[in-house]
């Protein structure tokens, strides 16, 4: 079957001739680039960055849309304890890669900007804009707004009046605002 490839009936993008008869594995850059329409490793990095940016956006969305409103419905002491538990569990290698990995777009953006004759003006602006939006809109907001609030929440006594006040009047409102 051809499944829409531009190749004829004799095969598609990956055919029997591309498979080695011994059981060794290899990476076929040519086939990969043809299937994904990628012309360079910089484009691969930008594609990975886009995927990681999407994952980060999903994490932010689910927290803002579901997790935080759900915690707000709970008794303050329970909500504080659950949020502190989440904050302790979420910082792990997989989360760090998914949430901050989009910053790898900085490499191709800088490379494109330093070599203006090799890349179109549009590509250069898309690369730098993507990196700056991610850096200021996700990375900096997380580091300067959400993490300090998470640390302050960790320091409060969930049973105290001041802890409940911080939870209800500051944390729940301002955490999602960013």
């Amino acid at each position: 079957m051809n499944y829409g490839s531009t190749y004829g009936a004799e095969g598609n993008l990956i055919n029997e001739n591309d498979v080695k008869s011994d059981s060794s594995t290899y990476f076929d850059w040519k086939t990969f680039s043809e299937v994904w329409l990628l012309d360079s490793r910089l484009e691969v990095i930008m594609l990975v960055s886009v995927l990681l940016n999407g994952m980060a956006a999903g994490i932010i969305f689910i927290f803002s849309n579901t997790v935080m409103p759900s915690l707000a419905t709970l008794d303050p002491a329970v909500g504080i304890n659950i949020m502190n538990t989440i904050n302790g569990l979420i910082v792990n290698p997989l989360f760090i890669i998914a949430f901050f990995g989009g910053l790898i777009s900085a490499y191709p953006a800088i490379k494109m900007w330093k070599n203006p004759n090799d890349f179109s003006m549009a590509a250069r602006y898309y690369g730098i804009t993507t990196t700056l939006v991610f850096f200021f809109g996700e990375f900096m907001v997380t580091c300067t707004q959400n993490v300090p609030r998470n640390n302050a929440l960790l320091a409060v006594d969930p049973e105290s009046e001041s802890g409940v006040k911080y939870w209800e009047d500051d944390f729940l409102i301002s955490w999602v605002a960013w």
Side-chain angles (χ1 to χ4, degrees), residues 18-38:
D18 292 337
V19 179
K20 289 185 175 182
S21 59
D22 63 2
S23 61
S24 66
T25 59
Y26 68 100
F27 183 78
D28 184 358
W29 177 257
K30 184 176 184 295
T31 301
F32 179 81
S33 64
E34 287 173 354
V35 170
W36 287 94
L37 304 174
L38 301 169

Side-chain angles (χ1 to χ4, degrees), residues 3-172:
Y3 297 115
S5 106
T6 57
Y7 294 89
E10 66 277 356
N12 60 18
L13 296 175
I14 302 173
N15 62 39
E16 303 83 40
N17 297 332
D18 292 337
V19 179
K20 289 185 175 182
S21 59
D22 63 2
S23 61
S24 66
T25 59
Y26 68 100
F27 183 78
D28 184 358
W29 177 257
K30 184 176 184 295
T31 301
F32 179 81
S33 64
E34 287 173 354
V35 170
W36 287 94
L37 304 174
L38 301 169
D39 293 328
S40 71
R41 285 181 172 79
L42 290 178
E43 290 179 0
V44 172
I45 293 170
M46 288 303 287
L47 175 63
V48 170
S49 174
V50 167
L51 295 173
L52 292 171
N53 287 344
M55 292 172 73
I59 293 167
I60 292 167
F61 175 78
I62 200 68
F63 259 86
S64 298
N65 183 67
T66 307
V67 173
M68 298 307 289
S70 296
L71 292 176
T73 66
L74 302 174
D75 177 75
V78 173
I80 292 169
N81 286 325
I82 290 173
M83 188 64 187
N84 284 334
T85 301
I86 290 170
N87 288 334
L89 293 173
I90 201 166
V91 180
N92 62 67
L94 186 57
F95 171 79
I96 298 297
I97 291 168
F99 201 66
F100 297 118
L103 287 174
I104 64 170
S105 66
Y107 173 72
I110 291 168
K111 184 131 175 112
M112 287 189 293
W113 207 259
K114 286 184 173 183
N115 300 297
N117 296 330
D118 296 340
F119 303 96
S120 71
M121 180 71 76
R124 291 172 39 224
Y125 278 108
Y126 290 146
I128 199 75
T129 301
T130 298
T131 302
L132 291 174
V133 166
F134 185 83
F135 179 75
F136 288 109
E138 191 270 334
F139 182 79
M140 290 302 292
V141 167
T142 298
C143 293
T144 65
Q145 302 301 315
N146 298 113
V147 169
R149 283 175 172 79
N150 292 346
N151 292 340
L153 185 67
L154 189 59
V156 303
D157 177 6
E159 303 291 335
S160 71
E161 189 175 311
S162 63
V164 170
K165 182 171 174 35
Y166 176 73
W167 173 253
E168 293 175 340
D169 297 341
D170 187 17
F171 189 84
L172 289 174

